[in-house]
Amino acid sequence: MRVLVTGGTGYIGSTAVDILITKGYEISILDDCTTGHADTAPAGVSFIQGSLLSAGDVAQALVGVDAVMHFAGKSLVGESVEKPDLYHQVNVDGSRNLLDQMHASGVTKLVFSSSAATYGEPEQVPILETAPTKPTNPYGATKLAIDQMITAEAESRGIAAASLRYFNVAGALKSSRGWLAERHNPETHLIPNVLRSTSDNPVKVFGTDWPTPDGTCIRDYVHVVDLIDAHIKALESLAPKIHEIYNLGSGDGYSVREVIAAASKSAGYQIPTLDSPRRAGDPAVLIADINKAKNKLGWVPTHGIEKMVADTLASIS
Ligand code: UFG
C-alpha cells in the first residue's frame, strides 16, 4: 500500500514516514518545508516539496497513492491567535483542496491529525470523543472545521476516514538518519524547553496558582512512537462512509512540576525553573479518555513519561 504523508518532513510526519517504511508501506511525501526539514526525507521516497494549497502539487503527490495520512498544517496555538487568517488558509483551505484532489484521484482513505484543542476548556476530565467541541483559539477551530469537513466527505462521497485527536505529543525516534525530534523555532512545547533550560535562561513555569494539587497545569503526554502506532491501526481499520474520531493520549495526567521532576531525574541534575504568570489560553487540566482507541483499534500506549523525556534528551544531546 502506498501512503501519502502530508507534512512528512515535520516532527510527527517524519516519524510516521520512518515507521511506515519499517512496516513495509510505500511512501510519498508532500511538504512545503515551511516548518518541516527536507533532510528528514529518506532517500528513495517520492518527495514533492509543494503546497497543500496548490491543486497541481496535491494531484501530483496523489499519483499511485492508496491512502493519505494528513499531518501538514500550522500547529501553534499562540501564533494562531495572532494570525487566524493564515491558520484558516493553510489548515482549512489546504485540507479542502486535499479532499477535492483525493476525490478527483479516486483516493478514498484518510487518517487526519486532529487535536484536543477542538474540545476547548473541558467540562469533564477525562475527555471523551463525545464531549462538546468549543475551541478556545483559532488553531483548535481550524482542526474542528476540518473534522466536520471530513464527516461531510464520508457522508457525501463515501470516503473512509479517521480523525485522531492528539493530546500532548512528546518523545523522539532514532532513525537510520539520526533522531527525528521536535525542531521548532521558536520552541513552545514544555519538554524540549525543560531539557534546554539553563541557569541563565531557566524554563518558565506558566502559572503556579492553577486549581491542581501542585498549582501547575496538568497535561496528558503521549510518545510519538505510540501515536504513530495508533495511526497505522486506524489506517488498517478504516471503513467506507465512516468517519471515526479517536482521542490519543495516555489517559494519565502529569503536572508541569511532575514533568520537570522526571526531566531532572533523567538529566541527573535539578533543572532550573522560573515561576512565571499563567500563559493566556491554557486550560488547567487536559486528560484524554482513550478507551475508544483501546477498544476499537486494540491500541495501547506503552511508553511512559520517563521514556518521552529520556528520548527527547538523547535527541538534543
Ligand atoms: N509550559 C510551561 N513552560 C513552557 C512551555 C509550556 O510551563 O516553557 C506549560 C504550559 O503552560 C502547559 C504545559 O506546559 O500547561 C504544556 O504546554 P505545551 O506548550 O507543551 O503544550 P499545550 O498543552 O499548550 O499544547 C499541546 C499542543 C497543541 C494542542 C494541545 C492539546 O502543542 O497543539 O496540546 O492538548 F492543541
Side-chain angles (χ1 to χ4, degrees):
M1 181 191 283
R2 178 170 285 275
V3 180
L4 170 62
V5 181
T6 74
T9 73
Y11 163 50
I12 300 173
S14 64
T15 306
V17 166
D18 200 75
I19 294 174
L20 284 163
I21 289 173
T22 308
K23 295 202 177 284
Y25 293 87
E26 293 178 302
I27 298 298
S28 299
I29 295 174
L30 173 68
D31 199 317
D32 64 7
C33 294
T34 49
T35 52
H37 303 274
D39 61 3
T40 64
V45 304
S46 161
F47 174 28
I48 291 167
Q49 187 162 348
S51 171
L52 263 187
L53 291 160
S54 157
D57 288 352
V58 176
Q60 194 189 344
L62 284 165
V63 171
V65 160
D66 303 294
V68 178
M69 283 195 188
H70 179 28
F71 298 93
K74 295 278 180 196
S75 64
L76 296 178
V77 170
E79 184 185 55
S80 79
V81 176
E82 287 160 27
K83 301 176 183 170
D85 294 348
L86 176 70
Y87 272 65
H88 188 90
Q89 183 188 39
V90 174
N91 291 1
V92 182
D93 298 348
S95 299
R96 180 69 262 162
N97 188 38
L98 174 65
L99 289 167
D100 289 341
Q101 294 308 319
M102 284 174 62
H103 180 62
S105 307
V107 178
T108 58
K109 293 182 174 180
L110 175 66
V111 177
F112 171 58
S113 301
S114 186
S115 170
T118 52
Y119 297 113
E121 186 80 47
E123 288 168 14
Q124 281 187 324
V125 286
I127 302 172
L128 282 159
E129 290 85 352
T130 50
T133 43
K134 297 179 191 163
T136 51
N137 53 64
Y139 166 66
T142 64
K143 290 288 181 179
L144 180 59
I146 300 163
D147 281 348
Q148 290 167 343
M149 260 169 16
I150 295 171
T151 302
E153 202 74 5
E155 284 167 6
S156 65
R157 290 174 170 168
I159 68 164
S163 287
L164 306 182
R165 290 188 171 160
Y166 307 168
F167 283 65
N168 289 61
V169 186
L173 173 66
K174 191 168 190 184
S175 77
S176 55
R177 302 173 308 292
W179 281 96
L180 302 170
E182 294 200 68
R183 286 157 75 189
H184 302 126
N185 188 18
E187 183 57 74
T188 62
H189 289 147
L190 178 65
I191 292 177
N193 282 348
V194 165
L195 292 168
R196 288 197 184 96
S197 177
T198 62
S199 47
D200 289 341
N201 192 13
V203 64
K204 292 180 178 162
V205 176
F206 293 138
T208 55
D209 58 350
W210 293 96
T212 60
D214 69 13
T216 65
C217 286
I218 293 175
R219 293 288 182 273
D220 181 339
Y221 296 87
V222 58
H223 197 292
V224 65
V225 169
D226 283 326
L227 188 92
I228 301 308
D229 179 42
H231 283 67
I232 295 171
K233 289 186 160 71
L235 175 68
E236 296 301 338
S237 74
L238 293 176
K241 300 184 181 176
I242 305 277
H243 176 212
E244 293 283 6
I245 293 178
Y246 298 98
N247 287 340
L248 298 183
S250 67
D252 287 324
Y254 290 86
S255 73
V256 172
R257 290 221 195 282
E258 286 172 331
V259 170
I260 291 164
S264 297
K265 196 171 164 202
S266 186
Y269 60 87
Q270 187 58 45
I271 307 269
T273 62
L274 179 65
D275 288 355
S276 303
R278 292 181 178 191
R279 186 172 70 176
D282 272 343
V285 182
L286 291 176
I287 300 173
D289 185 311
I290 58 169
N291 283 310
K292 182 175 174 186
K294 278 184 172 172
N295 295 335
K296 288 198 78 153
L297 300 178
W299 176 68
V300 181
T302 57
H303 300 71
I305 193 77
E306 295 79 11
K307 176 77 172 148
M308 295 179 223
V309 167
D311 286 347
T312 310
L313 182 61
S315 75
I316 60 181
S317 297

